[in-house]
Amino acid sequence: MPAPRILIVDDEADLRELLDITFIKMGLDSDCAANLGEARALLAKNAYAMVLTDMRLPDGLGIELVREVAAAYRNTPIAVITAFGSADNAVAALKAGAFDYLSKPVALDQLRLMVQSALKLTPAASAAAPAPTAGPALRLLGESDALRHVRAQIVRLARSMAPVAITGESGTGKELAARDIHAQSARADKPFIAVNCGAIPEALMEAEFFGYRKGAFTGAADDRDGFFQAASGGTLMLDEVADLPLPMQVKLLRAIQERRVRKVGSTVEEPVDVRLISATHQNLAACVEAGKFRQDLYYRLNVIELGLPPLRERKDDIGLLASAVLQRLSGASRMRLSPQALQTLCEHSFPGNVRELENILERALAFASGDTIDAQDLALRPAAMAGAPVSSPSPSHSPPTPRGEPFLTASEPAPAIADAQPAGAGTPGSLPQQLDKVERKLIEEALARTRYNRTQAADLLGLTLRQLRYRMQRLQIHDAD
C-alpha cells in the first residue's frame, strides 16, 4: 500500500523543504505547491491524505483553499500555517472548515502530532474514498428532528480540531455531547478530561489547570500535572466555563493561543496538545457585554457552537429516553411506563430537562408496585401536567446542578413546580412540599449551628459546598443579615 501523500502549499521554498524532509522522516510522501493555482492543479490530479497551506500566498489567501477543500474534498483534512500572533486568522480558518492550525515558526513536534491525528481520519488516503465508517454509538438518545440534527453536527465536528462551545439549558446533556465528539474523533483513544470550572476554588485554579512543581507552595510535596497535561493528546472539556474568574481567563487564553502551559513554580513552558470543548448554560455573549467574560477568550472558545435543544422542544423523545433510563435503573426487573404515565410525562414542561426526567423516574420506581409505573407514581402536580407556566430561573442566573450528584431528595427534580402555585393551593400535604420543608429545616439548623459558615454547614449535612449552595438557592434560603 503506498504511503499517504500530503500536499504542502507555501511560497517560502525553505519552509517547503523543511516540511518535505519532516514528512519523509515520518514515512510519508508529499507534493509541494508555491501558490493557489499550483495547489488546485495538484488536487485535481492526485488524492491526498492531508493538505497543509500557508495563509498568505502570492495569488490569494489560504482560507480560499480551505473553503474549496472543505466543499469538494470533504474526506481530506486541511490545516493552515498562520503568522505568529495571528489568532484571528486561525479562528477564521477553523470556522471555514480547517482541521487545525500551526503558528510560525513551525514547531516540528506539534506538526507531527497534528499530522498523525489527521491521518487517522483518512486511513485510505483518498479524497475519492467513501466516508469513514461510523464510530461508537452516540450517547445522546432521541429520534426527533432536533436530535438527529445535533448528532449529524457531532459527527462533522469530530473530524475537526476546532474548539467547540456547547450551549444549552442545565440537564440537556452537554457533557454527553462532548464525550460523543471525543469518541467519534481521531483522539478517541486518548484521555477525555471533564472539568467543572465552577467547582474549583479560585486560589487553586492555576495549579489545577497547569500543574505545579514540588515546593511551589505549602503542601506541594511532589510535582503534579494539571488538567492540560492529563488530557494530553485528547480532549479537555471546560464545563460551566462562564464561572471562570477573570484572572484565570487571561491565563487560559494564553495557554490556548500558545499551546503551552507553565506549571506553578516553574520557569519553563511545556507544549500541550489538547482539543478544547467548553460548555455553559449561561449566555456567554451576554456575559461578555456585562464584563464578566473576556471577549478575546470568547472568540477563541466559541469557534463552532453546538446548541442542545431543551426536552420540551423534543417531546417525541421522552418515551425513548424514559425506556433507556428505566432499563438502567431497574436492571433485570424490566419496569415500564403505563400509557397514562407516558402521557403525563409528555405534558410536563421539564425545566430540568433530561436530568429532571431521570430523577422523576428514580422517584417513581420507589413508589411503583409491580412492573408498571402509573401516572400517580410520578407524583407530578396537576398544574405542571396541564402545561401551566413554570417559574424556573433564567438561564443566565440558574444555579448549575452538579453533574453526577447523587439523588438526595424527591423534591429536587421539580423545585419550580412547587413554586408554580401560591402557598396553600393544591394539596398542602403533597410529598414534594413536605420534603422541601424537611430539607429547609435541616439546612437552616446547620447554618445556625455554624453561624452561617457554609463550608462547615455543608460538612454537617454531608454535602459539598456546591450542593449546599444549589439547595439554598432552590429553597430561597438566605444568609443571616
Side-chain angles (χ1 to χ4, degrees), residues 258-398:
E258 305 302 327
R259 298 189 178 187
R260 307 179 75 87
V261 299
R262 187 179 66 181
K263 290 184 175 180
V264 177
S266 177
T267 58
V268 297
E269 291 185 328
E270 304 174 12
V272 290
D273 172 36
V274 299
R275 184 188 190 177
L276 282 175
I277 298 179
S278 60
T280 181
H281 70 285
Q282 300 188 41
N283 186 327
L284 271 186
C287 291
V288 171
E289 292 181 4
K292 298 178 181 178
F293 202 83
R294 291 181 61 94
Q295 187 177 50
D296 45 9
L297 180 58
Y298 169 74
Y299 287 125
R300 295 297 290 165
L301 293 176
N302 199 42
V303 174
I304 303 174
E305 183 172 324
L306 175 65
L308 298 186
L311 188 54
R312 62 181 172 272
E313 293 181 5
R314 55 184 188 102
K315 291 196 172 183
D316 291 346
D317 293 334
I318 290 178
L320 178 62
L321 290 169
S323 297
V325 171
L326 287 175
Q327 183 177 2
R328 173 171 57 84
L329 293 176
S330 62
S333 61
R334 302 288 183 181
M335 293 292 291
R336 61 184 182 85
L337 289 171
S338 69
Q340 295 79 9
L342 178 58
Q343 180 64 29
T344 298
L345 286 175
C346 291
E347 292 173 354
H348 184 53
S349 59
F350 285 105
N353 295 292
V354 180
R355 188 180 295 122
E356 180 182 352
L357 173 63
E358 292 176 346
N359 288 350
I360 289 173
L361 294 176
E362 188 170 0
R363 178 180 65 200
L365 280 173
F367 293 157
S369 58
D371 60 356
T372 301
I373 294 176
D374 294 320
Q376 60 268 26
D377 297 327
L378 300 174
L380 295 178
R381 294 178 66 85
M385 291 189 289
V390 179
S391 57
S392 58
S394 66
S396 59
H397 296 90
S398 58

Side-chain angles (χ1 to χ4, degrees), residues 128-197:
T133 56
L138 299 183
R139 294 169 175 83
L140 283 177
L141 297 179
E143 295 300 328
S144 62
D145 290 342
L147 246 290
R148 288 177 184 271
H149 178 66
V150 167
R151 285 203 295 266
Q153 284 184 291
I154 286 174
V155 173
R156 289 196 297 271
L157 293 176
R159 293 182 53 80
S160 167
M161 291 299 107
V164 177
I166 304 177
T167 60
E169 297 177 7
S170 181
T172 50
K174 294 186 287 295
E175 184 171 335
L176 288 181
R179 289 184 180 276
D180 280 341
I181 292 172
H182 172 76
Q184 299 286 322
S185 74
R187 296 174 176 253
D189 58 339
K190 300 297 182 181
F192 175 90
I193 304 296
V195 180
N196 191 319
C197 299

Side-chain angles (χ1 to χ4, degrees), residues 233-246:
T235 303
L236 178 61
M237 178 189 179
L238 305 178
D239 197 8
E240 299 302 344
V241 70
D243 292 339
L244 281 174
L246 287 171

